[in-house]
Amino acid sequence: MFFVAGVKNTSGSGRENEKRSIYQTFREVDLLNKKKPVTALKPGEDRAVLLGLGMILASFMMYFVLGITILRSYADSVWTEEGLCVVLNATLTGDVNCSYSCGSDCWRGSRYPCLQVYVSLNNTGRHSRLHYNEETQDASSECVYAPRCQKDSAAMHSAVMNISERLKVDQQVPCFYDPNEHREMVLLTRIYDHSVVLHSLLWPSCTLAGGALIVVMVKLTQYLSRLCEQMGRIKR
């Protein structure tokens, strides 16, 4: 009888072990299926975060480059006030010699007419010499405009004459001057004004916002996935 009972117990325990092994097998397969989307999604999330961080780093580098170039030139400019200049006199005083490159270690000479323009600031009453922009003011202290030196002197002459005709037609033109009167000359245009600075800051700002948005969206997606997983466990 003990032998028979032992045989029955052995067969019963074997069936239970078989059921447990089958249950564990299905359980492991179920867990693997649940883990597959997570493991497949994680590398993509990591790449997205790296992309966002790279965009943020690139935007800071662009801010640095703009800070030492455009923003510095804009901040160092003394011609900050805009006024209305009345043209008093515009005369051609003669030709100015310049040199242009014609190849490696090759320089040739050319000429362009020098146009001198004197204006009066209507809101200050002072008389000043007019220059086209900051580069012209540095290149020539006498002429209103210094065109890029080239072989075709007729083209440079035409550019200067176009400015002369414009000033003759428009006796009153907007100009920029130094309110502290450290510089007597006034400028017709500025190389780096408010619009140029704003446009130069637009692209790095968009890159920074895009990178930050990518990182935030990835972190939000991860948070929502963990929240859904926790809610699923609670329901079980």
Side-chain angles (χ1 to χ4, degrees), residues 2-18:
F2 288 105
F3 177 74
V4 175
V7 172
K8 291 182 178 180
N9 291 332
T10 304
S11 60
S13 62
R15 291 177 180 176
E16 291 179 357
N17 291 332
E18 185 178 357

Side-chain angles (χ1 to χ4, degrees), residues 13-27:
S13 62
R15 291 177 180 176
E16 291 179 357
N17 291 332
E18 185 178 357
K19 291 180 179 180
R20 289 179 182 177
S21 61
I22 295 174
Y23 174 77
Q24 289 178 356
T25 302
F26 281 106
R27 182 65 177 173

Side-chain angles (χ1 to χ4, degrees), residues 4-201:
V4 175
V7 172
K8 291 182 178 180
N9 291 332
T10 304
S11 60
S13 62
R15 291 177 180 176
E16 291 179 357
N17 291 332
E18 185 178 357
K19 291 180 179 180
R20 289 179 182 177
S21 61
I22 295 174
Y23 174 77
Q24 289 178 356
T25 302
F26 281 106
R27 182 65 177 173
E28 290 177 356
V29 172
D30 189 19
L31 291 175
L32 288 174
N33 291 332
K34 290 181 178 179
K35 289 181 178 180
K36 280 183 180 179
V38 177
T39 55
L41 185 61
K42 187 172 178 53
E45 293 177 348
D46 293 338
R47 288 192 292 268
V49 171
L50 290 176
L51 175 62
L53 294 177
M55 292 175 64
I56 293 174
L57 179 61
S59 65
F60 281 116
M61 293 178 64
M62 286 189 287
Y63 278 130
F64 175 76
V65 173
L66 292 174
I68 62 177
T69 54
I70 296 178
L71 295 180
R72 183 177 180 181
S73 300
Y74 174 78
D76 293 342
S77 179
V78 297
W79 294 276
T80 56
E81 294 293 331
E82 185 175 1
L84 193 62
C85 289
V86 180
V87 179
L88 300 177
N89 188 14
T91 57
L92 295 172
T93 59
D95 292 336
V96 178
N97 296 323
C98 65
S99 58
Y100 63 94
S101 177
C102 56
S104 178
D105 298 331
C106 175
W107 294 89
R108 292 183 180 178
S110 185
R111 287 189 170 191
Y112 66 88
C114 179
L115 177 64
Q116 287 187 355
V117 179
Y118 289 90
V119 296
S120 173
L121 283 170
N122 61 347
N123 53 355
T124 62
R126 67 180 186 181
H127 295 177
S128 303
R129 184 183 288 115
L130 181 67
H131 286 272
Y132 188 74
N133 53 28
E134 294 90 340
E135 291 182 352
T136 305
Q137 187 270 330
D138 295 332
S140 176
S141 59
E142 299 292 333
C143 306
V144 65
Y145 180 64
R148 179 183 176 184
C149 191
Q150 53 183 326
K151 181 179 180 181
D152 189 2
S153 58
M156 294 189 293
H157 184 274
S158 176
V160 174
M161 293 307 298
N162 287 336
I163 297 177
S164 177
E165 293 297 329
R166 174 189 169 186
L167 294 176
K168 289 180 180 179
V169 174
D170 301 329
Q171 291 295 321
Q172 293 184 351
V173 292
C175 58
F176 299 90
Y177 65 95
D178 180 12
N180 298 322
E181 298 185 1
H182 294 159
R183 297 291 185 94
E184 294 183 358
M185 65 282 298
V186 295
L187 303 180
L188 187 62
T189 60
R190 294 180 62 186
I191 299 177
Y192 302 116
D193 55 3
H194 298 284
S195 61
V196 173
V197 173
L198 291 177
H199 281 90
S200 63
L201 294 177

Side-chain angles (χ1 to χ4, degrees), residues 217-230:
M217 292 298 292
V218 171
K219 294 301 181 182
L220 180 61
T221 303
Q222 292 176 347
Y223 170 75
L224 293 176
S225 64
R226 288 194 298 267
L227 186 61
C228 291
E229 184 178 357
Q230 292 175 0

